[in-house]
Amino acid sequence: MLALDDVSIVYTTRSGPVQAVSGVTLSLPPGGSLGLVGESGCGKSTLALAALALLPAEARLAGGAVRLDGQDLAALPEAELRKLRWTRMAYVPQSAQNALVPVHSLRRQFRDTAAAHGMRSAEADERAAALLRRVELDAAVLDRFPHELSGGMRQRAMIALALLFGPSLLVADEPTTGLDVIVQRQVIDLLRDLRGEDGLALLFISHDIGVVAELCSHVAVLYAGKVMESGPTATVFSEPDHPYTMGLQRAFPDIRHPERSIVSIAGHPPRLSSPPKGCPFAPRCPFVQPVCRDTTPPLVAVSDARAVACHFVDEAAALRERARDPALWDEAA
């Protein structure tokens, strides 16, 4: 359904071009779920906007193609893209508080969205009430304003709005960020149910690997605009092959192993306006070797479903054992 083929994205800034995404190739089948994880600034949200052909004016597709059902979105005129958005592909942004119009009721916002695609107000009201009930909100909230709703209610209302035309692709950009754990659970369960009932394809962006592990069958780990590792979520997080994924795994608590020490990945991501030579993770990697600083490792397939960008992927099992020692990450710091 969705294919990102060698996608590169460049932002124009006052200090020069910044390559936010470099050569990313990913695919999402109908009804599938793909999670994008990584630290802030790694390119997750930029890829989400590229998937919807909604890149801001200062960003441009510098290479590759984004295809929806085989259609190259970059080749479509804006009028055709507007027809596709919300009907075939919809978006749940990170903050419903900022996405919803504060001076309009939810009813007005459902009607405006419906009118943009030729749906009458009466039909929009009926559809909106049914969708709100589906996300466990009373239809009475249609006549409320965004500030009258809690954060979780706004997020669920935003999901209902995204489903107004029954899209086949839903792009959700950190929809659980800033919500308490109870509301996070409600949103995760809701998205899982929608996938099961409607066959939605879900592109889910998050920095929380625990949420991605619950919701997505496949995952891509991004760092400095590149894919470091991709594959089935359960396999990638239980047996990571890239040192960055190993660090992420050790940086999150595991309720099944409360005695396990939490580590911190030292340093910070590189400046994308002047990326380092070689592997972008090399300055922070506890296993770094000279070749890592000199040569960028290609993303290579290690099985039918997995790909890793590391010079020492053949030694991944031994590196995983060493990565279990918190002292290793302290030494790297």
Side-chain angles (χ1 to χ4, degrees):
M1 165 166 284
L2 177 67
L4 307 176
D5 184 12
D6 197 27
V7 169
S8 295
I9 299 168
V10 173
Y11 282 84
T12 301
T13 71
R14 292 179 180 178
S15 57
V18 174
Q19 185 140 359
V21 174
S22 302
V24 169
T25 296
L26 295 168
S27 62
L28 177 61
S33 55
L34 173 65
L36 303 181
V37 301
E39 294 169 275
S40 297
C42 70
K44 304 187 300 295
S45 294
T46 295
L47 276 177
L49 294 175
L52 300 161
L54 276 176
L55 287 172
E58 63 270 17
R60 62 181 175 84
L61 192 66
V66 180
R67 296 185 177 87
L68 181 71
D69 288 332
Q71 286 185 300
D72 185 350
L73 296 184
L76 295 178
E78 182 60 29
E80 291 299 314
L81 289 171
R82 287 178 66 86
K83 292 178 182 178
L84 287 176
R85 297 186 191 117
W86 238 257
T87 58
R88 295 297 315 283
M89 52 186 185
Y91 181 48
V92 177
Q94 181 172 345
S95 173
Q97 172 78 23
N98 297 329
L100 294 169
V101 182
V103 296
H104 291 169
S105 68
L106 288 184
R107 186 183 302 276
R108 166 75 181 275
Q109 298 187 56
F110 271 93
R111 285 182 175 182
D112 286 349
T113 304
H117 294 280
M119 182 186 288
R120 295 179 179 274
S121 294
E123 184 181 356
D125 288 348
E126 183 179 349
R127 177 75 173 152
L131 286 169
L132 288 174
R133 287 191 291 268
R134 191 170 183 188
V135 299
E136 299 181 0
L137 291 176
D138 194 289
V141 304
L142 275 172
D143 295 311
R144 295 188 186 178
F145 291 83
H147 70 271
E148 297 179 290
L149 307 178
S150 69
M153 293 172 73
R154 283 193 296 267
Q155 200 66 56
R156 282 180 283 165
M158 192 69 230
I159 293 172
L161 183 59
L163 298 175
L164 185 59
F165 287 90
S168 49
L169 169 65
L170 183 65
V171 178
D173 188 359
E174 302 200 33
T176 59
T177 297
L179 303 178
D180 65 63
V181 292
I182 302 300
V183 178
Q184 280 191 30
R185 164 57 56 194
Q186 293 172 345
V187 172
I188 292 169
D189 289 344
L190 170 61
L191 291 172
R192 183 187 290 115
D193 291 344
L194 290 170
R195 281 194 55 235
E197 295 168 11
D198 295 8
L200 270 176
L202 176 66
L203 180 63
F204 187 84
I205 291 88
S206 181
H207 62 273
D208 190 332
I209 65 174
V211 174
V212 171
E214 286 227 23
L215 197 55
C216 301
S217 61
H218 287 72
V219 65
V221 180
L222 300 181
Y223 186 80
K226 299 176 182 288
V227 176
M228 298 288 101
E229 183 168 4
S230 65
T233 306
T235 307
V236 168
F237 288 153
S238 63
E239 297 180 351
D241 282 344
H242 195 282
Y244 179 58
T245 314
M246 297 175 196
L248 286 182
Q249 179 203 45
R250 299 291 301 179
F252 278 81
D254 188 339
I255 195 171
R256 298 165 301 180
H257 303 286
E259 76 288 349
R260 194 181 76 176
S261 298
I262 306 299
V263 305
S264 174
I265 303 176
H268 51 81
R271 292 177 60 88
L272 296 180
S273 57
S274 54
K277 184 181 178 182
C279 175
F281 187 60
R284 306 172 70 189
C285 182
F287 309 116
V288 63
Q289 298 294 323
V291 66
C292 305
R293 302 186 188 278
D294 296 332
T295 308
T296 302
L299 185 68
V300 296
V302 294
S303 70
D304 291 341
R306 294 190 68 179
V308 182
C310 180
H311 290 298
F312 301 99
V313 65
D314 292 338
E315 303 173 25
L319 298 182
R320 279 196 298 272
E321 282 300 315
R322 293 177 58 193
R324 297 179 192 276
D325 183 3
L328 175 79
W329 300 93
D330 293 338
E331 291 169 6

